[in-house]
Amino acid sequence: MDKIVMKGGQELHGEVQASGAKNAALPILASALLADGTSTYRNVPDLADVATMLKVLRTMGCDAERLTARKKDVCEVGVNGHIHPEAPYELVKTMRASVLVLGPLVARFGRARVSMPGGCAIGARPIDQHLKGLKALGADIHLTEGYVEARAKQLKGGTVNFDVITVTGTENVLMAAVLAKGRTIMENCAREPEIEELARVLNKMGAKIEGAGTSVITVEGVDGLKPVDHAILPDRIEAGTLLVAAAISGGNVLVKHAVPEHLEAVVDKLREAGCTITAEGGGLRCKAPRTLNSVNITTTEHPGFPTDMQAQLMALMCVSQGTSVISENIFENRFMHVPELHRLGADITIQGHTAVVKGVKGLSGAPVMATDLRASASLILAGLRAEGRTEVSRVYHLDRGYERLERKLRSLGADIRRVKAKA
C-alpha cells in the first residue's frame, strides 16, 4: 500500500485550488439514472470514491467514464433505458454512498436491488431513514441476504418526516420524489450545500423542487427528466483542510474556489484560534498567528460545525495554547485518530463523545496509520508541524476524498511525498 512520507517544520505559502466536491459529485452521478441520454459533469474530483460510483453505474449497464483524453475533471454518464438495477456487495461494501442509486432506480425503473452499504468505520450510519422515505412514497421494500430490494409500479407523492437528519437519506428520497406522481413534502431534511447542489442539478433536468437548503423540501413530481451538463461546486471540506494546513504550519495561503458561505463555522473557529481569514481572489486566505489559541468545538448538522472537519481541527488544537474541548455529536466512532496523534506527542484524553486536548509546544514525527478518510487528513496536518519524519500508512483512505493532497501541499512548500507500494 502507498504511504505518505513527510518532514515537518515548513511554513506553507502561496495559492492552491480546491477541487470539486466529493459529497456533491456522488449523488449527482447517481442522478444520471433518472434520464435517458448522456449527462456531462464538470469539475468532478479525481477520487477513489468517484471511480467506485462510475464502476457501480457501469455494472448496471450505463456508459460511465472519466474523459481523461480531453479533460480529467469531466465525466459522462450515458443511460439508454436498459439498466440492470442492482448494485452488488463487492462495490457497495467499499463506499457507503453507493446506496444513492436506490432512489433513482426504484423511481425510474420500478425496482432496485442494492447491497447494504459499507465505507468508513466511523459509526453505524444505518439506512433506515432512506427506507422509511421510500416506503412513504409507496415502495415495497424487503431486506434479503444483505440486500435491499425495492419495488414500485409508480411512486406516489407523500409526506416524509425524517426521524433524524440524514444527508444521504435526504438525497435518496429527493431523487425518488422527482418522478413520483403528485406532491412530496420532505420534513426535517439535511441542509448541506451539497443537497442544494443536487436539487440545482435535478431542476436543470426538469424537476420541480423548492426549499433545498432548508429543513422542508417540496417536490412536484414530473413525468420525465432530461440529461444535464453541470459543473460541480468546490469541496468545502477540502478547502477547510487546506486552510487548517496554512494555520498549523504558521503559513499564509490563498485557497482558491473556497466558498465563504459554505465554511462559516470553520472560519469562525480559525479566527477564534487567532488566524486572519479574508475573502480574496475568488477564495479564502488564511494567515496564521505566531501563537494559536485553543478553541472549543461541537460538531452538529449544517450550518453548525461539520463532523468532517473535526479531526483536522483537533490536529490544530494539539499545538495551540491552552485546553480545547471537542464534542462529537454525529458519529460515535470518530475519535479513532486520537491514538495515532498520541504517537506524534499529542496530549488528548477521551471522555465518551468528548475529547480534551491540551496544547503541547511541539510534535515529533513517527510512523502512524490512517483509520478513515478525515483521520488521514488530520495525521498529515499534524505531520506538517511535527519535528522530524512522519510516515502515514493506509492512505487509500485519503484517496477516497482528497485529490492528490500531497501534491497540493508540496506546491505550497511542504516537504512531503507519496511512496508507491512495491508491486
Side-chain angles (χ1 to χ4, degrees):
M1 292 184 286
D2 292 2
K3 61 183 178 181
I4 300 292
V5 178
M6 54 198 305
K7 185 177 180 181
Q10 306 296 318
E11 292 183 3
L12 302 188
H13 292 273
E15 299 180 0
V16 66
Q17 182 171 303
S19 300
K22 172 183 89 91
N23 290 336
L26 299 178
I28 287 170
L29 288 170
S31 74
L33 290 164
L34 292 166
D36 267 354
T38 299
S39 290
T40 302
Y41 305 107
R42 307 176 192 281
N43 200 35
V44 181
D46 187 7
L47 304 172
D49 275 10
V50 169
T52 298
M53 181 60 82
L54 292 172
K55 192 171 183 180
V56 169
L57 293 170
R58 286 196 297 272
T59 298
M60 292 188 293
C62 300
D63 295 321
E65 300 292 344
R66 183 178 293 277
L67 304 183
T68 52
R70 286 172 23 201
K71 192 176 182 183
K72 66 181 180 63
D73 70 345
V74 177
C75 291
E76 286 186 351
V77 179
V79 183
N80 60 15
H82 302 290
I83 295 295
H84 176 60
E86 179 173 330
Y89 172 71
E90 289 72 22
L91 293 175
V92 180
K93 71 178 181 180
T94 66
M95 184 186 70
R96 183 178 186 274
S98 304
V99 77
L100 286 165
V101 300
L102 181 61
L105 286 175
V106 71
R108 174 107 194 281
F109 301 100
R111 62 191 179 96
R113 187 171 188 266
V114 178
S115 173
M116 295 292 282
C120 279
I122 58 174
R125 298 196 291 178
I127 62 168
D128 59 307
Q129 297 302 301
H130 303 232
L131 306 186
K132 174 185 176 179
L134 294 175
K135 285 180 181 178
L137 300 183
D140 182 24
I141 294 176
H142 298 278
L143 303 181
T144 306
E145 298 177 341
Y147 279 78
V148 176
E149 295 188 354
R151 289 182 178 271
K153 288 184 178 180
Q154 169 69 64
L155 292 178
K156 296 180 180 180
T159 298
V160 178
N161 192 325
F162 294 106
D163 299 319
V164 295
I165 295 174
T166 162
V167 174
T168 52
T170 299
E171 292 166 342
N172 230 340
V173 177
L174 178 61
M175 288 188 283
V178 295
L179 291 181
K181 188 175 181 62
R183 173 180 291 185
T184 297
I185 298 175
M186 300 168 58
E187 300 173 339
N188 198 31
C189 296
R191 296 183 283 166
E192 272 71 5
E194 293 80 13
I195 289 173
E196 290 187 75
E197 180 78 343
L198 174 61
R200 191 175 297 117
V201 170
L202 294 171
N203 282 339
K204 286 174 70 172
M205 296 173 74
K208 297 179 179 179
I209 302 168
E210 294 182 354
T214 74
S215 60
V216 179
I217 299 175
T218 302
V219 184
E220 295 287 349
V222 297
D223 292 332
L225 300 178
K226 62 182 184 296
V228 70
D229 187 320
H230 184 78
I232 291 169
L233 86 173
D235 195 310
R236 62 193 171 97
I237 304 301
E238 185 199 19
T241 301
L242 292 166
L243 292 171
V244 176
I248 201 169
S249 72
N252 184 344
V253 172
L254 173 63
V255 182
K256 299 173 74 175
H257 292 183
V259 181
E261 53 266 35
H262 293 170
L263 286 160
E264 289 179 353
V266 174
V267 166
D268 286 347
K269 289 301 176 182
L270 288 173
R271 284 176 174 154
E272 193 178 337
C275 298
T276 301
I277 309 290
T278 52
E280 176 186 329
L284 288 170
R285 178 177 294 278
C286 177
K287 184 177 181 181
R290 294 192 173 209
T291 303
L292 292 158
N293 304 317
S294 289
V295 299
N296 296 329
I297 297 161
T298 299
T299 66
T300 187
E301 292 86 358
H302 190 80
F305 191 90
T307 182
D308 278 352
M309 284 298 301
Q310 176 257 109
Q312 298 92 309
L313 262 290
M314 183 181 288
L316 187 66
M317 292 301 97
C318 288
V319 293
S320 299
Q321 191 173 61
T323 298
S324 173
V325 178
I326 300 176
S327 299
E328 174 57 60
N329 293 324
I330 306 298
F331 295 128
E332 65 268 26
N333 293 341
R334 206 153 206 180
F335 284 149
M336 292 191 294
H337 46 281
V338 170
E340 302 304 303
L341 290 172
H342 283 160
R343 291 178 53 79
L344 298 174
D347 184 347
I348 307 170
T349 304
I350 302 296
Q351 301 172 356
H353 293 291
T354 298
V356 179
V357 185
K358 295 181 179 179
V360 296
K361 290 185 178 180
L363 301 174
S364 57
V368 291
M369 180 179 68
T371 54
D372 60 71
L373 170 55
R374 305 307 173 186
S376 61
S378 76
L379 296 177
I380 287 176
L381 292 172
L384 291 173
R385 183 66 175 259
E387 184 177 335
R389 177 186 171 102
T390 297
E391 292 186 7
V392 183
S393 60
R394 294 177 66 180
V395 294
Y396 59 85
H397 288 294
L398 185 78
D399 297 337
R400 288 187 51 231
Y402 290 94
E403 185 174 6
R404 290 177 279 275
L405 180 61
E406 74 280 1
R407 293 189 188 179
K408 293 187 178 184
L409 293 174
R410 191 165 59 247
S411 74
L412 298 172
D415 186 345
I416 184 171
R417 61 192 173 92
R418 178 181 292 257
V419 176
K420 289 287 187 180
K422 294 181 180 179

